[in-house]
Amino acid sequence: MRAAIARFKFEGRADLGRPLGDLLARHACGDPALARSDVVVPVPLHQDRLWERGFDHAVLLAGAVAGGLQIPLAAGVLQRERATAPQAGLGARARWANVGGAFRVDSVRQHLLEDRRVVLVDDILTSGATASACAEALQAAGAAEVRVATLARAILGGLPRSGAAAAG
């Protein structure tokens, strides 16, 4: 899983979005809490990072999850309003400081979240800082509940050696 995610994100392998997304979608469909969700939201990249990569890995994963759960994908409703340093290499405290207040909900599309159960999708959950910052913004915009689906759960400092499924 470590190698696949690294290739996907850092080597421009957008083609890995489909199989990785399908893996995550299968897990999401088998998780009762995720299966009762109303909308899927990807963790957003900042525009600068999107331009560097050429694609948004979380949108590709979230699209597969939305398709598997047969619920809407709300890409773009959650936005990263400021560029943040990459979380890799940062300790837990620095990760929380890095992403604190970095996310906001697009007020024009806020209605897509109101009283909805949201599945927040990202590739890896490490300290929980990014997921928490996103959940805070989503709940402030009216989301009733936020659950997180990821390809892997990492220990601070790297991904686990064994393949990981999703964290729900």
Side-chain angles (χ1 to χ4, degrees):
M1 186 58 68
R2 171 187 274 193
I5 292 171
R7 286 183 186 109
F8 180 42
K9 286 176 65 171
F10 305 118
E11 295 178 14
R13 295 286 310 272
D15 62 302
L16 292 175
R18 176 87 180 189
L20 291 173
D22 289 347
L23 175 67
L24 186 54
R26 280 195 303 277
H27 174 77
C29 290
D31 183 313
L34 296 177
R36 290 189 305 272
S37 299
D38 301 307
V39 64
V40 176
V41 174
V43 170
L45 284 178
H46 187 267
Q47 288 298 324
D48 294 345
R49 185 90 27 91
L50 178 60
W51 184 82
E52 288 171 14
R53 282 200 188 142
F55 67 97
D56 187 329
H57 65 286
V59 169
L60 296 178
L61 297 174
V65 171
L69 294 173
Q70 298 181 358
I71 60 175
L73 171 65
V77 70
L78 182 63
Q79 300 174 346
R80 190 177 297 242
E81 65 179 355
R82 66 176 169 80
T84 56
Q87 295 283 75
L90 298 178
R93 188 172 303 206
R95 286 172 179 258
W96 286 84
N98 187 40
V99 295
F103 301 96
R104 70 172 177 80
V105 169
D106 175 17
S107 60
V108 173
R109 298 192 292 171
Q110 181 175 339
H111 68 280
L112 298 172
L113 303 173
E114 292 171 352
D115 299 319
R116 301 288 200 285
R117 294 167 297 195
V118 176
V119 177
L120 179 68
V121 174
D122 204 4
D123 58 337
I124 303 171
L125 181 73
T126 304
S127 69
T130 300
S132 291
C134 289
E136 185 177 295
L138 292 166
Q139 289 177 318
E145 184 177 293
V146 178
R147 301 227 179 241
V148 179
T150 64
L151 285 169
R153 168 77 175 147
I155 54 174
L156 202 54
L159 287 173
R161 294 213 179 269
S162 63

